[in-house]
Amino acid sequence: MFRHQKELQFEVKVERPDPMLAKRVQEVLGGQFGEMTVMMQYLFQGFNCRGNEKYKDMLMDIGTEEIGHVEMLCALIGQLMDGATPEDQSEAAKDPQLAAIMGGVDPQHLIVSGLGGMPINSNGVPWSGAYIVSSGNLLADMRSNLHAETQGRLQVARLYHMTTDEGVRATFRKMLARDRYHQYQWMAAVAELEEKNGVVVPASFPPEAEMEAQEHGLEFWNLSDGQESSEGLWATGSAPDGTGDFKYLENPEPLGNIPRPEVPATQVHHDLDRDFVNKK
Amino acid sequence: MFRHQKELQFEVKVERPDPMLAKRVQEVLGGQFGEMTVMMQYLFQGFNCRGNEKYKDMLMDIGTEEIGHVEMLCALIGQLMDGATPEDQSEAAKDPQLAAIMGGVDPQHLIVSGLGGMPINSNGVPWSGAYIVSSGNLLADMRSNLHAETQGRLQVARLYHMTTDEGVRATFRKMLARDRYHQYQWMAAVAELEEKNGVVVPASFPPEAEMEAQEHGLEFWNLSDGQESSEGLWATGSAPDGTGDFKYLENPEPLGNIPRPEVPATQVHHDLDRDFVNKK
Amino acid sequence: MFRHQKELQFEVKVERPDPMLAKRVQEVLGGQFGEMTVMMQYLFQGFNCRGNEKYKDMLMDIGTEEIGHVEMLCALIGQLMDGATPEDQSEAAKDPQLAAIMGGVDPQHLIVSGLGGMPINSNGVPWSGAYIVSSGNLLADMRSNLHAETQGRLQVARLYHMTTDEGVRATFRKMLARDRYHQYQWMAAVAELEEKNGVVVPASFPPEAEMEAQEHGLEFWNLSDGQESSEGLWATGSAPDGTGDFKYLENPEPLGNIPRPEVPATQVHHDLDRDFVNKK
Amino acid sequence: MFRHQKELQFEVKVERPDPMLAKRVQEVLGGQFGEMTVMMQYLFQGFNCRGNEKYKDMLMDIGTEEIGHVEMLCALIGQLMDGATPEDQSEAAKDPQLAAIMGGVDPQHLIVSGLGGMPINSNGVPWSGAYIVSSGNLLADMRSNLHAETQGRLQVARLYHMTTDEGVRATFRKMLARDRYHQYQWMAAVAELEEKNGVVVPASFPPEAEMEAQEHGLEFWNLSDGQESSEGLWATGSAPDGTGDFKYLENPEPLGNIPRPEVPATQVHHDLDRDFVNKK
Amino acid sequence: MFRHQKELQFEVKVERPDPMLAKRVQEVLGGQFGEMTVMMQYLFQGFNCRGNEKYKDMLMDIGTEEIGHVEMLCALIGQLMDGATPEDQSEAAKDPQLAAIMGGVDPQHLIVSGLGGMPINSNGVPWSGAYIVSSGNLLADMRSNLHAETQGRLQVARLYHMTTDEGVRATFRKMLARDRYHQYQWMAAVAELEEKNGVVVPASFPPEAEMEAQEHGLEFWNLSDGQESSEGLWATGSAPDGTGDFKYLENPEPLGNIPRPEVPATQVHHDLDRDFVNKK
Amino acid sequence: MFRHQKELQFEVKVERPDPMLAKRVQEVLGGQFGEMTVMMQYLFQGFNCRGNEKYKDMLMDIGTEEIGHVEMLCALIGQLMDGATPEDQSEAAKDPQLAAIMGGVDPQHLIVSGLGGMPINSNGVPWSGAYIVSSGNLLADMRSNLHAETQGRLQVARLYHMTTDEGVRATFRKMLARDRYHQYQWMAAVAELEEKNGVVVPASFPPEAEMEAQEHGLEFWNLSDGQESSEGLWATGSAPDGTGDFKYLENPEPLGNIPRPEVPATQVHHDLDRDFVNKK
């Protein structure tokens, strides 16, 4: 069960409205790596966690914090939209500067939400449940979380340069700081789990089943012209878990067959007649 | 520019059709972490790569390999659907066993694709461009790739147990081996980049801008009852880059204000009258 | 079966083209509460109506009218786009005013539809079947319809201020008038059905099944700091159907258990080892 | 800012696993009217509320409660999936009963989430930000909330009959009780606001602007054969706000023009030549 | 403006309910090429038609007919669901045959729509505005329509074999007949327009602009191993409009450059340092 | 299996950056008829092709070429974004011209992709697997391909006028030339298949099953006022396959029944009481 405190986690106080910026901020609210994504991702991972209280509690701590980040971004967008009105567009015809702004404003902020934040990205695409990951495998999910915070912090950093409003920037700095911590946090969790289970996910897949195909687990297939790719650690070093050395295949050849699928029954209506089939 | 060889990268030869399994295999073809996702993700990252030939070449190698994995899975699904016909459903009324199978078959395999693989997941949801990530920041994208291969291998491992068909399993084993290698590969790339730039993304964000909010970059906020979360490396150790020690806030209090957004202009039609406003 | 008359239900005649406005008008054509939504919602409710001719006929009347509203909005958007050409963008580089307009034009109106209306909202998101509701329960659906017309009229009212073109405004006035009537209409239908069946949907759920949990049907749980919420009719009055008095829980405590889900079988690959489990 | 308590709001304890039911329960978790929808809808309405603390506080109370309902449903689905394994499918080939069950199980519960709840509906469609409404107009949103709880309770009532498991039913009874209360709650809020502002939304649209089209605000257009629709309160009574009497148009004729859009510039490439145009 | 007649265009009368079939029929109601698609596609093309009354009138005739086909399919699905109840699932636990059926039933038909048709496909994916095409170019759209009717008729033909119910089949036969006509119709329109404007769309693109690249307008690039593709009319014949002869490039070589995109400004945070760049 | 060459198929070299154009170019990269669509459509058709090597090989040739077109468009968009930075927005406040440009730039190009191409259309809507068609019926799919290239070339032609940059135009000219060839190619394939199987798809549907409904396969139903539609080849001529003459129904009357669906079981909770039913 959850409870709500009226104060925001961090202060949100913009210096002046900026409806164009409000549209751009939507990316880190309702975009692929916005706060809604990490909020729902950590909550679902926490709700679904089986048999490990330490991780579950940690996920619930962070997931709960992220609900408050969605709250902060709605407050931010609301302030950036303060004073905007639908009339601005009819005024815009007379004033290039205003017209320019209207072109960059999210029309739904005026027509649909009445100046409030929305569960959409900076192009107006609705947030999707398909953005989040909760797989039940802890290491898999911690890597997912690290990646989400990485993308998220990158986006906030880019947004930071899109304004010189010190109030907005102060909020972004708090978000950058938290995203910094969250990157640390998931790295620590990843390290702890890799230490226990090894670095390849899933660890519990029976090794004997992999035997036959094992060599392919260390090969780099060079399928694009040029061999610049041979210079990386992935091509010349050893596997991070020391199970063998990488092998760079300069001119890999396919090992499989040419597929020859069966001609289907008439009722599938491929409309293949005998002539076609004979040419096979 | 690309070229195509007729042979598959690895052999695909199922022992017997299994249309229920065909539906499930769609997850690793057209799902959030299916082969279409890694194919498009690596290709876009490669196409968009700026100023680093080694990484670009490597991304193109792997992206090109993944197009062939989509090809292999279509071959696999095609064989699993061999011999299936729309008539099976009208027969199913007479036979519980057949009815049970029909209930688990993807109806679109019969009605829409005529027994072929589709760009959808195991529930029929179409593949979406919103699944992929190409951010321009190399470390961000390598972490994303590691996470994608992690989720992908986990899903193939689960699918592996869903069949005892040795032909299908042989294909899955090849995929598991390649996904093992790809996890190694992205780990190596991540290690190389973290070594160069530090572990927090983005590295180029000006540190002086973070100064003010710096303390919050090391704090764990305990917002869920219980303190099991204090036992992890994320709560008690040092930041992975040695920039300081984590701090566990047992009873964190909000640092922000209570938001008080402005009452909008009449033309926004919030319909707030004076009574409402006075109560604010 | 349906028939079409060539005349529009109401006249559509704009004074001058305005491609920026055309983009915004898309919201009430193909948005969540646009005319496509009410058209498809009423038609599906009418098509699916079981056992009540009076309601079915009424739904078919209104649903059929709404097809004509989609037609009117396509006519409106078409006129707003009159004379626009793709070349405008290449001209825009030389002229700030034109550039400003181009920034606010929906690029798909030029590239995709060739100056016609589209089944998308003002941000270009395609209309979705997930916008509509047809539940089979009449009262549930009438409430849905009332809400749809409410949101729809609100959006047209906001759009109204976005132009001073008297031709466009005349069309909007007709839509506002019809949306006014439709709000009345669904209110009347709701009143009639509530009179018959009671105000809680569904009415036919067996009351004895609800007995045990009945008290929770009158409680307000105060889960956000502050008690301003205690001042509303929902907190202090009686239930609208007189079945009891509301109860305001100032400090509600959870009544449930802490969930302890089972550790899954190995084949699910959660990768939990004994250490983890023991800590549970 | 938010906090989390480990106990669920109400107990969740199923008698026995039932993976087919788990799939169906997804509808009220991640469907159009599932708990995610009301949670996000009330939270966004609360976050965006301008100038009315009583409503804002109330929205935050309920929105916060709904986060806990998402939590309860994840706990429920988790228990329904207890003991399920991917191997079930390969076993299913030997056993019609098991095959039947597998056909009705959500494959993503096994392959993707590792036995956990997901942000999808009962057909696997991801939850969408386009499901929710936060318009800034209080009455509009309260009507939306009433409708959402109406649909939601209807769906839980239908699900109730899909199981005889007394543990599951006990949880559903709690949800039905809360949905009963929430219907009362939004009705009370609607009544309070209609009392203040009148029943037509938005109230602040200038009446003089509606003058010209006023008559159309009371007309029922009979556009489907038959006149059963004339029997309802919407056709014969007075407007709920007493502004006039409804008028039933038996044989309504269109009042508008036949649209004659302009032939576009060559660069739009409609490919209309003179012959075509002359026929106009 | 539109009008509705109560009779269906063709009779719909199933012999017996079949809820599994109801799910499959959704494909041709709300799928990519279902009746909703052709209905909305023809209506939008008609609404948007500029300057050619004959085509506009024809599109309105057919679009209006298709609304009635959506109506017929809702009637069909409704009858297939007759008598189904949510309780079926709880009964299914005791009866393999019933369990098998439940596994193949669309759960939303029971939980969401109360036994009615829905705007979704056979896998439950909502209909999307992105399915339709209205480009303003007549020949482009007629080709699109021909293709839509082609896919649509193919799907109905496959569905036909999924039932032995003579009532259902009679409805499908009517749909097959109409889809046959509609294929003829669009072929005739295509022929008429190709006769006038030539076969390449758009016809109005200035030929001198194509001059430079003209040769590439007749080349087949053989980019997949093997030369079976050289046997088709596309490789050896002349262009259908007689503008030249096709040319089969056995070993095509790329004609372009290797792309070398610029290193971005620091504020984009690609995190490329000098070492990386030097390697370029 | 696939291979990659570093050179682009055709040169891409823009004269000067143009971030507004970059947004518009996304339509032909990731839109409904962009290069991603034809790439995935031809690849899936090729992968799924059963029993006809000539067509399969041809599909693989073209599908492989199209991967390279996606590559070219990413290169193009990358160059158009060269030098753009997030800071442009904060500068825009001071400069109407810059503000105008920012309003027309895709914000995700700056925030999400770091100046790279994305799998989205010109309005930011992610590419969807629902755009493509692979039906297994060759003629159906060739018609689909013809239509896709038709729409695609139309869109490129419109884009061509949106810039005067000769570098961009040179790339577009190459695309127009290839799209010209691809239209020829699919026309040739269609002609070849129609010759073999007849013009109606599917050809293999048993004619005796169509007998009863045959007349409706030649009728034009005039359901929109006016008879301009009687002037086309579809109304007066013979069927293209000579199976009969078209028949123009001036005043078609419905041939079906009025649907009277059954009142559902109580557990479906339609809440219909006896009064309602009696009125039926």
Side-chain angles (χ1 to χ4, degrees), chain C residues 156-171:
Chain C
V156 176
R158 288 169 175 167
L159 269 174
Y160 186 86
H161 306 296
M162 288 189 170
T163 180
T164 54
D165 184 308
E166 268 308 306
V168 178
R169 287 189 152 196
T171 299

Side-chain angles (χ1 to χ4, degrees), chain B residues 239-259:
Chain B
D241 55 3
T243 51
D245 293 336
F246 295 137
K247 194 166 153 195
Y248 188 82
L249 304 189
E250 273 184 40
N251 294 301
E253 286 301 324
L255 302 170
N257 51 323
I258 298 183

Side-chain angles (χ1 to χ4, degrees), chain C residues 44-117:
Chain C
F44 269 90
Q45 289 179 11
F47 294 157
N48 290 337
C49 197
R50 288 171 175 268
N52 194 316
E53 201 55 35
K54 175 172 103 178
Y55 283 92
K56 178 171 191 138
D57 184 42
M58 182 263 270
L59 287 161
M60 293 312 306
D61 286 324
I62 310 301
T64 304
E65 181 181 348
E66 302 289 6
I67 316 175
H69 289 189
V70 173
E71 186 181 29
M72 282 169 58
L73 284 173
C74 282
L76 182 66
I77 288 172
Q79 293 182 27
L80 291 171
M81 293 300 296
D82 269 350
T85 81
E87 209 167 33
D88 295 342
Q89 171 150 328
S90 58
E91 292 303 313
K94 308 169 202 154
D95 174 359
Q97 177 72 4
L98 192 54
I101 289 168
M102 286 313 294
V105 171
D106 186 327
Q108 294 192 309
H109 278 166
L110 289 167
I111 305 170
V112 176
S113 76
L115 316 184

Side-chain angles (χ1 to χ4, degrees), chain F residues 63-76:
Chain F
T64 304
E65 180 180 349
E66 302 289 4
I67 315 176
H69 289 190
V70 173
E71 186 181 28
M72 282 169 59
L73 284 173
C74 282
L76 182 66

Side-chain angles (χ1 to χ4, degrees), chain E residues 1-70:
Chain E
M1 200 176 79
F2 292 80
R3 294 184 189 276
H4 176 250
Q5 280 181 275
K6 287 195 158 40
E7 294 81 10
L8 300 174
Q9 188 184 10
F10 298 109
E11 192 183 52
V12 174
K13 190 155 174 28
V14 317
E15 293 180 347
R16 56 189 172 279
D18 181 348
M20 281 180 82
L21 187 62
K23 172 177 172 162
R24 278 130 190 92
V25 173
Q26 284 285 159
E27 190 65 37
V28 291
L29 170 52
Q32 190 185 4
F33 299 107
E35 299 290 348
M36 281 184 71
T37 293
V38 284
M39 159 191 166
M40 296 309 304
Q41 178 153 322
Y42 303 160
L43 291 178
F44 268 90
Q45 289 179 10
F47 294 157
N48 291 337
C49 198
R50 286 172 176 268
N52 194 317
E53 201 55 36
K54 175 172 104 179
Y55 283 92
K56 178 169 192 139
D57 184 42
M58 183 262 271
L59 287 161
M60 294 312 305
D61 287 323
I62 310 301
T64 305
E65 180 179 349
E66 301 289 4
I67 317 176
H69 290 189
V70 173

Side-chain angles (χ1 to χ4, degrees), chain F:
Chain F
M1 200 175 79
F2 292 79
R3 293 182 190 277
H4 176 250
Q5 279 181 277
K6 286 193 159 39
E7 293 81 10
L8 300 175
Q9 188 185 8
F10 297 110
E11 193 183 49
V12 174
K13 189 151 176 29
V14 317
E15 294 180 346
R16 57 187 171 277
D18 182 346
M20 279 180 83
L21 187 62
K23 173 177 171 162
R24 279 131 188 91
V25 173
Q26 284 285 159
E27 190 64 38
V28 291
L29 169 51
Q32 190 185 2
F33 298 108
E35 299 290 350
M36 280 184 72
T37 293
V38 284
M39 160 190 165
M40 295 309 304
Q41 178 153 321
Y42 303 159
L43 290 178
F44 268 90
Q45 288 180 10
F47 294 157
N48 291 337
C49 197
R50 288 172 175 268
N52 194 318
E53 201 55 36
K54 176 172 101 176
Y55 283 92
K56 179 172 191 136
D57 184 42
M58 182 262 271
L59 287 161
M60 294 312 306
D61 286 325
I62 310 301
T64 304
E65 180 180 349
E66 302 289 4
I67 315 176
H69 289 190
V70 173
E71 186 181 28
M72 282 169 59
L73 284 173
C74 282
L76 182 66
I77 288 171
Q79 292 182 28
L80 291 171
M81 293 301 296
D82 269 350
T85 82
E87 210 166 33
D88 294 341
Q89 171 151 325
S90 58
E91 293 302 314
K94 308 169 203 156
D95 174 0
Q97 177 72 4
L98 192 54
I101 289 168
M102 286 313 294
V105 171
D106 186 327
Q108 293 193 310
H109 278 166
L110 290 168
I111 305 170
V112 176
S113 76
L115 314 185
M118 296 179 69
I120 59 175
N121 72 10
S122 63
N123 271 325
V125 177
W127 189 85
S128 165
Y131 290 161
I132 78 165
V133 182
S134 169
S135 75
N137 180 292
L138 274 174
L139 180 47
D141 286 351
M142 299 301 120
R143 284 183 180 164
S144 181
N145 299 350
L146 173 55
H147 131 78
E149 295 286 348
T150 300
Q151 299 285 348
R153 192 172 189 271
L154 177 62
Q155 295 183 357
V156 176
R158 287 168 176 168
L159 269 173
Y160 186 86
H161 306 295
M162 288 189 170
T163 180
T164 54
D165 184 308
E166 269 307 307
V168 177
R169 286 189 151 198
T171 298
F172 285 159
R173 279 195 291 268
K174 293 298 192 307
M175 290 173 65
L176 287 162
R178 293 312 289 156
D179 288 357
R180 168 183 285 272
Y181 175 68
H182 292 156
Q183 288 188 34
Y184 288 148
Q185 170 185 16
W186 304 122
M187 273 179 243
V190 163
E192 193 174 299
L193 288 159
E194 287 183 348
E195 175 78 16
K196 248 184 221 297
N197 283 341
V199 300
V200 177
V201 171
S204 45
F205 190 76
E208 64 278 11
E210 284 193 80
M211 201 77 74
E212 167 206 345
Q214 204 165 10
E215 62 190 308
H216 306 304
L218 295 165
E219 295 168 352
F220 186 100
W221 286 51
N222 177 41
L223 292 167
S224 176
D225 282 358
Q227 300 187 22
E228 294 89 341
S229 58
S230 66
E231 297 164 34
L233 283 182
W234 51 79
T236 53
S238 299
D241 55 2
T243 51
D245 293 336
F246 295 138
K247 194 167 153 194
Y248 188 82
L249 304 188
E250 274 183 39
N251 294 300
E253 287 301 323
L255 301 170
N257 51 321
I258 299 183
R260 303 258 184 235
E262 279 184 26
V263 176
T266 308
Q267 293 187 338
V268 182
H269 298 297
H270 279 63
D271 284 0
L272 302 174
D273 65 15
R274 230 160 256 141
D275 286 355
F276 283 176
V277 176
N278 287 348
K279 286 197 183 149
K280 193 172 76 162

